[in-house]
Amino acid sequence: MLELRDVRAGYGRTEVIHGVTVEVPADGVAAVMGHNGAGKTTLLRAAVGLLKINSGQVLFDGEDVSKLRPSARVARGLAYVPQGQQSFGQLTTAENLQVVADGRKRGRSLIDESLDLFPALKGLLTRRAGLLSGGQRQQLAIARALITEPRMLILDEPTEGIQPSVVAEIESTIVELTGRGGLGVLLVEQHIGFALQAAQSYYVLESGRITSTGEGGRGVRSPGAESAVRAAMAI
């Protein structure tokens, strides 16, 4: 389990996150939603250690990792896919995957497993990542993160700018992975329908504070939860 407990964080003298508490189950998805500027990415950067927190705690499997470097958190099983479909644009799809797999005992098997989750990438292995579509690059970014064999996957707006068919594929993969057990997902998302169908629980973040929480649909359309989120976000 990943728990952000009463976390406060920001940049310089400007505090962006004001006492936020979020719990992510060990075998499920917790979604954080909110408008641009609500503090969602800041929250994720604090979780993974890219941003030092001012107060509060970041707990992973009950251990306080608040003072650990990002590399140490990754070694414990955290993986972070930042916003923007990031990849090594000059490398091929295969090389992007191999860079992460190198040095791992199960490197080849891990690549094969990630490709099974995103079969569209199998026909793109020799194509440079910079020439892939946004949806393909996002699938590649998630596949690369999964090669690290994480126990907690942190995703920052994985559906941004992606066509609906690929959004559905990513949602299906997230639900499948967490359903197998051994993986939790902290999902930041503005696509309300996607977030609620993938998540067991949700949090609405507004101006750096949690203003609403509830249960998601976990693979099932949840009109009640979607209405509650839209009301909380005033949309």
Side-chain angles (χ1 to χ4, degrees):
M1 171 193 280
L2 176 67
E3 182 180 359
L4 307 177
R5 183 182 294 174
D6 198 24
V7 168
R8 293 178 178 272
Y11 305 93
R13 296 182 179 181
T14 303
E15 186 172 271
V16 177
I17 299 298
H18 313 288
V20 168
T21 295
V22 170
E23 294 185 12
V24 188
D27 300 317
V29 181
V32 177
M33 292 170 281
H35 296 295
N36 287 332
K40 304 185 301 298
T41 295
T42 299
L43 183 67
L44 296 193
R45 288 174 58 84
V48 78
L50 294 173
L51 181 65
K52 184 178 179 180
I53 63 175
N54 298 331
S55 63
Q57 291 179 302
V58 179
L59 303 172
F60 188 42
D61 282 345
E63 177 189 4
D64 188 346
V65 298
S66 305
K67 296 182 180 180
L68 295 184
R69 294 181 177 179
S71 58
R73 302 188 199 194
V74 169
R76 282 164 170 73
L78 284 177
Y80 176 45
V81 180
Q83 185 178 11
Q85 305 143 18
Q86 296 186 14
S87 63
F88 298 109
Q90 295 302 313
L91 300 183
T92 66
T93 296
E95 289 168 341
N96 267 271
L97 297 172
Q98 191 63 53
V99 163
V100 183
D102 280 346
R104 297 183 177 276
K105 293 181 179 179
R106 296 182 57 242
R108 182 65 252 178
S109 295
L110 291 168
I111 290 176
D112 290 341
E113 289 170 13
S114 69
L115 290 173
D116 286 340
L117 290 168
F118 298 106
L121 297 177
K122 292 182 178 181
L124 302 168
L125 293 176
T126 60
R127 184 174 299 181
R128 285 192 299 171
L131 300 178
L132 300 179
S133 70
Q136 292 163 348
R137 286 197 304 273
Q138 188 62 275
Q139 289 176 314
L140 176 58
I142 298 173
R144 291 175 64 229
L146 292 173
I147 289 175
T148 68
E149 298 183 278
R151 292 182 295 119
M152 183 63 59
L153 181 62
I154 300 176
L155 301 174
D156 192 355
E157 300 204 24
T159 70
E160 182 184 34
I162 294 177
Q163 62 188 34
S165 62
V166 179
V167 170
E169 290 175 13
I170 292 175
E171 177 189 328
S172 176
T173 299
I174 291 173
V175 172
E176 178 185 347
L177 285 169
T178 55
R180 294 177 184 177
L183 178 69
V185 175
L186 174 56
L187 171 68
V188 154
E189 187 56 69
Q190 289 197 60
H191 191 304
I192 296 174
F194 166 81
L196 291 178
Q197 289 191 72
Q200 293 172 319
S201 59
Y202 71 82
Y203 300 80
V204 175
L205 190 65
E206 187 67 33
S207 299
R209 293 180 171 84
I210 298 296
T211 59
S212 179
T213 65
E215 295 182 357
R218 185 56 177 170
V220 179
R221 188 74 175 178
S222 181
E226 186 165 340
S227 296
V229 171
R230 290 188 178 279
M233 295 175 63
I235 58 176

